[in-house]
Protein backbone atom coordinates (compact mmCIF):
# COMPACT_ATOMS: atom_id res chain seq x y z
CA UNK A 1 0.00 0.00 0.00
CA UNK A 2 2.89 2.33 0.70
CA UNK A 3 4.36 1.61 -2.74
CA UNK A 4 0.95 2.30 -4.30
CA UNK A 5 0.79 5.63 -2.49
CA UNK A 6 4.25 6.61 -3.76
CA UNK A 7 3.54 5.45 -7.32
CA UNK A 8 0.17 7.23 -7.39
CA UNK A 9 1.90 10.47 -6.47
CA UNK A 10 4.70 10.00 -9.00
CA UNK A 11 2.97 8.31 -11.94
CA UNK A 12 -0.71 8.98 -11.34
CA UNK A 13 -3.49 6.75 -10.09
CA UNK A 14 -3.93 4.98 -13.43
CA UNK A 15 -0.24 4.36 -14.21
CA UNK A 16 0.65 0.77 -15.15
CA UNK A 17 2.85 0.17 -12.12
CA UNK A 18 0.37 1.86 -9.79
CA UNK A 19 -2.41 -0.41 -11.00
CA UNK A 20 -0.18 -3.51 -10.80
CA UNK A 21 0.97 -2.80 -7.26
CA UNK A 22 -2.57 -1.75 -6.34
CA UNK A 23 -3.92 -5.10 -7.52
CA UNK A 24 -1.22 -6.91 -5.53
CA UNK A 25 -2.00 -4.83 -2.45
CA UNK A 26 -5.72 -5.61 -2.73
CA UNK A 27 -4.92 -9.32 -3.19
CA UNK A 28 -2.75 -9.33 -0.05
CA UNK A 29 -5.42 -7.36 1.81
CA UNK A 30 -8.06 -9.95 0.89
CA UNK A 31 -5.67 -12.80 1.84
CA UNK A 32 -5.22 -11.22 5.27
CA UNK A 33 -8.97 -10.85 5.71
CA UNK A 34 -9.42 -14.52 4.77
CA UNK A 35 -6.84 -15.49 7.41
CA UNK A 36 -9.54 -14.84 10.05
CA UNK A 37 -6.89 -13.16 12.21
CA UNK A 38 -8.61 -10.59 14.40
CA UNK A 39 -5.46 -8.49 14.65
CA UNK A 40 -5.16 -8.43 10.85
CA UNK A 41 -8.82 -7.47 10.57
CA UNK A 42 -8.19 -4.45 12.78
CA UNK A 43 -4.68 -3.56 11.64
CA UNK A 44 -5.11 -3.69 7.86
CA UNK A 45 -7.76 -0.97 7.49
CA UNK A 46 -5.96 1.20 10.05
CA UNK A 47 -2.66 0.78 8.19
CA UNK A 48 -4.24 1.69 4.85
CA UNK A 49 -5.90 4.71 6.40
CA UNK A 50 -2.61 5.87 7.93
CA UNK A 51 -0.81 5.50 4.59
CA UNK A 52 -3.62 7.40 2.87
CA UNK A 53 -3.42 10.23 5.39
CA UNK A 54 0.38 10.46 5.09
CA UNK A 55 0.85 9.58 1.42
CA UNK A 56 -2.03 11.25 -0.37
CA UNK A 57 -3.42 14.75 -0.59
CA UNK A 58 -6.73 16.18 -1.70
CA UNK A 59 -9.25 13.99 -3.51
CA UNK A 60 -7.06 10.88 -3.49
CA UNK A 61 -6.81 11.02 0.29
CA UNK A 62 -10.56 11.49 0.70
CA UNK A 63 -11.32 8.71 -1.78
CA UNK A 64 -9.08 6.15 -0.05
CA UNK A 65 -10.18 7.13 3.45
CA UNK A 66 -13.84 7.06 2.35
CA UNK A 67 -13.41 3.64 0.76
CA UNK A 68 -11.76 2.23 3.91
CA UNK A 69 -14.44 3.70 6.16
CA UNK A 70 -17.19 2.28 3.91
CA UNK A 71 -15.46 -1.12 3.79
CA UNK A 72 -14.97 -1.14 7.56
CA UNK A 73 -18.60 -0.26 8.24
CA UNK A 74 -19.91 -2.90 5.81
CA UNK A 75 -17.47 -5.58 6.96
CA UNK A 76 -17.96 -4.62 10.62
CA UNK A 77 -21.68 -5.31 10.41
CA UNK A 78 -21.20 -8.78 8.91
CA UNK A 79 -22.16 -11.93 10.74
CA UNK A 80 -18.57 -13.21 10.55
CA UNK A 81 -17.23 -10.21 12.44
CA UNK A 82 -19.94 -10.54 15.09
CA UNK A 83 -19.10 -14.22 15.53
CA UNK A 84 -15.36 -13.58 15.63
CA UNK A 85 -15.42 -10.64 18.03
CA UNK A 86 -18.54 -11.58 19.97
CA UNK A 87 -18.57 -11.94 23.72
CA UNK A 88 -19.61 -15.57 23.44
CA UNK A 89 -16.26 -16.46 21.87
CA UNK A 90 -13.77 -17.85 24.34
CA UNK A 91 -10.71 -16.83 22.37
CA UNK A 92 -8.84 -15.28 25.32
CA UNK A 93 -9.70 -18.28 27.50
CA UNK A 94 -8.49 -20.54 24.69
CA UNK A 95 -5.20 -18.64 24.74
CA UNK A 96 -4.89 -19.11 28.51
CA UNK A 97 -5.40 -22.85 28.01
CA UNK A 98 -2.81 -22.98 25.22
CA UNK A 99 -0.36 -20.97 27.32
CA UNK A 100 -0.89 -23.27 30.33
CA UNK A 101 -0.07 -26.30 28.20
CA UNK A 102 3.06 -24.65 26.83
CA UNK A 103 4.17 -23.56 30.31
CA UNK A 104 3.83 -27.19 31.43
CA UNK A 105 6.07 -28.19 28.51
CA UNK A 106 8.66 -25.61 29.59
CA UNK A 107 8.61 -26.93 33.16
CA UNK A 108 9.22 -30.50 31.98
CA UNK A 109 11.74 -29.67 29.23
CA UNK A 110 13.40 -26.35 30.14
CA UNK A 111 16.76 -26.74 28.42
CA UNK A 112 15.97 -28.03 24.91
CA UNK A 113 12.14 -27.93 24.80
CA UNK A 114 9.83 -30.54 23.32
CA UNK A 115 11.14 -30.20 19.76
CA UNK A 116 10.80 -27.59 17.07
CA UNK A 117 7.09 -26.79 16.78
CA UNK A 118 5.98 -30.08 18.31
CA UNK A 119 3.87 -28.25 20.91
CA UNK A 120 0.79 -28.38 18.67
CA UNK A 121 0.78 -32.16 18.42
CA UNK A 122 1.55 -32.57 22.15
CA UNK A 123 -1.09 -30.11 23.39
CA UNK A 124 -3.87 -32.64 24.01
CA UNK A 125 -1.58 -34.88 26.07
CA UNK A 126 -0.35 -31.98 28.18
CA UNK A 127 -3.86 -30.76 28.84
CA UNK A 128 -4.88 -34.21 30.05
CA UNK A 129 -1.89 -34.19 32.36
CA UNK A 130 -2.50 -30.71 33.82
CA UNK A 131 -6.27 -31.12 34.03
CA UNK A 132 -7.19 -28.57 31.43
CA UNK A 133 -8.94 -28.73 28.12
CA UNK A 134 -7.47 -27.55 24.83
CA UNK A 135 -10.27 -26.14 22.70
CA UNK A 136 -7.89 -26.17 19.80
CA UNK A 137 -4.40 -27.54 19.33
CA UNK A 138 -2.04 -24.92 18.10
CA UNK A 139 1.28 -23.18 18.54
CA UNK A 140 1.63 -21.06 21.68
CA UNK A 141 0.26 -17.82 20.17
CA UNK A 142 3.14 -16.05 21.90
CA UNK A 143 6.52 -15.98 20.17
CA UNK A 144 8.65 -16.12 23.33
CA UNK A 145 6.60 -18.88 24.93
CA UNK A 146 6.51 -20.80 21.64
CA UNK A 147 10.31 -20.65 21.36
CA UNK A 148 11.03 -21.68 24.92
CA UNK A 149 8.43 -24.49 24.85
CA UNK A 150 9.70 -25.97 21.59
CA UNK A 151 13.45 -25.24 21.78
CA UNK A 152 14.03 -24.56 25.50
CA UNK A 153 16.16 -21.80 26.94
CA UNK A 154 18.92 -22.69 24.46
CA UNK A 155 16.62 -22.04 21.52
CA UNK A 156 15.12 -18.97 23.18
CA UNK A 157 18.61 -17.50 23.57
CA UNK A 158 19.24 -18.10 19.86
CA UNK A 159 15.88 -16.58 18.94
CA UNK A 160 16.56 -13.47 21.02
CA UNK A 161 20.08 -13.17 19.56
CA UNK A 162 18.71 -13.47 16.00
CA UNK A 163 16.09 -10.80 16.67
CA UNK A 164 18.69 -8.47 18.18
CA UNK A 165 21.00 -8.94 15.18
CA UNK A 166 18.18 -8.35 12.71
CA UNK A 167 17.02 -5.28 14.62
Amino acid sequence: FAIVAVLARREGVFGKRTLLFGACAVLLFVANILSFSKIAWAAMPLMVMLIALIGFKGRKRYAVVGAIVAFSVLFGTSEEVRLRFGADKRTINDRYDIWAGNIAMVKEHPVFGVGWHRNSELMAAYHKRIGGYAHFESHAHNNLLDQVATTGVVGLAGFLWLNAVLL
Side-chain angles (χ1 to χ4, degrees):
F1 285 108
I3 292 170
V4 172
V6 170
L7 287 173
R9 287 178 71 177
R10 288 184 182 166
E11 300 176 7
V13 175
F14 297 107
K16 281 184 179 180
R17 292 189 326 157
T18 306
L19 292 173
L20 176 66
F21 279 96
C24 290
V26 168
L27 180 66
L28 292 172
F29 185 86
V30 170
N32 273 303
I33 295 298
L34 294 176
S35 73
F36 296 102
S37 166
K38 289 185 283 190
I39 193 69
W41 284 3
M44 291 293 291
L46 291 173
M47 184 244 344
V48 173
M49 188 157 324
L50 179 64
I51 290 171
L53 292 173
I54 293 170
F56 293 126
K57 293 180 181 175
R59 289 184 179 168
K60 292 176 190 173
R61 176 184 291 172
Y62 298 126
V64 173
V65 169
I68 290 300
V69 169
F71 168 80
S72 297
V73 168
L74 289 173
F75 189 64
T77 59
S78 72
E79 184 65 24
E80 188 60 42
V81 170
R82 276 196 297 277
L83 287 173
R84 194 78 173 141
F85 285 94
D88 60 333
K89 287 302 261 185
R90 295 180 18 100
T91 56
I92 192 64
N93 294 333
D94 291 343
R95 299 288 166 99
Y96 290 148
D97 291 343
I98 293 290
W99 294 337
N102 278 275
I103 289 169
M105 291 177 204
V106 172
K107 288 178 181 176
E108 287 188 19
H109 305 280
V111 179
F112 295 111
V114 296
W116 181 249
H117 288 290
R118 290 202 55 228
N119 52 350
S120 295
E121 65 191 66
L122 298 171
M123 191 56 60
Y126 271 89
H127 276 286
K128 282 182 187 175
R129 193 174 313 155
I130 64 174
Y133 173 73
H135 295 281
F136 65 99
E137 297 173 11
S138 178
H139 62 92
H141 284 79
N142 176 305
N143 287 339
L144 293 175
L145 183 56
D146 195 65
Q147 287 299 316
V148 75
T150 62
T151 62
V153 293
V154 173
L156 178 63
F159 175 74
L160 293 174
W161 173 83
L162 175 66
N163 281 277
V165 167
L166 292 174
L167 183 64

